[in-house]
Amino acid sequence: MEKAVDDVGDEIEQLFKQSATDKILIQVTLKNNKVYVGFTDKIPPPQETNFLKLVPVISGYRKSETKELVFTTEYFEASKIYSESKEKYTQYEMDIILKQDEILTAGVFDLEIYNTFNQD
C-alpha cells in the first residue's frame, strides 16, 4: 500500500504537495542562506528520499547579518538567455533538487504580499 503525504509526510513534504496540487509558489531558505522561490510538479512518496524537486522562478540569498532577502535571478529571463544562445535549456530543465535536511525554512510565497512589505 502506497503511503500518502497527508497521512505520513512531514511538514516540508506536505508543503511541496500543496505546491504541486494547488499550483502555488513556495519559498525555501537553505542553511547556506540561498533562497529559491518556485513550485513543484511532482513529489516522491513520503519519507522515501531526502531530496525534493523545485522548479525555480526566482532565486537569491539572505544577507548574513539582517537575513534580508535579496533576489538575484529570475529564471524566466535566464531561460530566455539560454534559448537565445542556442543552448537547449528551458525553464523546466533548470529544476533544482534540494536536500531536505538542508532546508532551514519553507513556506507559501505570495509576490504581492512580499512587495507590500518590501517597498523601497
Side-chain angles (χ1 to χ4, degrees), residues 35-51:
V35 175
Y36 293 100
V37 173
F39 61 92
T40 192
D41 55 359
K42 182 179 178 186
I43 55 170
Q47 301 177 354
E48 288 190 9
T49 182
N50 192 28
F51 298 93

Side-chain angles (χ1 to χ4, degrees), residues 4 15 26 31-32 42 46 58 69 71 78-79 89 95-96 107:
L15 177 66
I26 54 178
K31 291 178 180 177
N32 65 1
K42 182 179 178 186
I58 309 168
L69 180 54
F71 286 123
S79 68
Y89 298 110
D95 296 349
I96 305 296

Side-chain angles (χ1 to χ4, degrees), residues 68-84:
E68 177 186 355
L69 180 54
V70 177
F71 286 123
T72 59
T73 306
E74 292 184 21
Y75 284 82
F76 179 74
E77 290 300 317
S79 68
K80 284 185 1 185
I81 292 168
Y82 281 123
S83 65
E84 289 170 2

Side-chain angles (χ1 to χ4, degrees), residues 6-115:
D6 291 334
D7 297 329
V8 297
D10 62 28
E11 290 84 352
I12 297 289
E13 291 169 327
Q14 290 179 23
L15 177 66
F16 272 68
K17 178 187 180 264
Q18 182 183 9
S19 176
T21 57
D22 297 341
K23 308 298 184 214
I24 60 169
L25 289 175
I26 54 178
Q27 174 183 306
V28 177
T29 300
L30 303 179
K31 291 178 180 177
N32 65 1
N33 286 334
K34 182 74 177 169
V35 175
Y36 293 100
V37 173
F39 61 92
T40 192
D41 55 359
K42 182 179 178 186
I43 55 170
Q47 301 177 354
E48 288 190 9
T49 182
N50 192 28
F51 298 93
L52 296 165
K53 181 181 93 164
L54 188 72
V55 179
V57 175
I58 309 168
S59 69
Y61 64 95
R62 292 195 179 275
K63 292 182 179 179
S64 295
E65 293 179 17
T66 64
K67 300 303 179 194
E68 177 186 355
L69 180 54
V70 177
F71 286 123
T72 59
T73 306
E74 292 184 21
Y75 284 82
F76 179 74
E77 290 300 317
S79 68
K80 284 185 1 185
I81 292 168
Y82 281 123
S83 65
E84 289 170 2
S85 67
K86 307 272 189 254
E87 294 290 331
K88 296 180 181 179
Y89 298 110
T90 67
Q91 180 176 357
Y92 299 104
E93 292 170 328
M94 294 185 191
D95 296 349
I96 305 296
I97 305 301
L98 302 170
K99 191 171 182 187
Q100 190 170 341
D101 58 6
E102 288 297 314
I103 297 173
L104 185 61
T105 63
V108 173
F109 182 81
D110 184 301
L111 186 58
E112 186 176 335
I113 292 172
Y114 173 81
N115 287 336

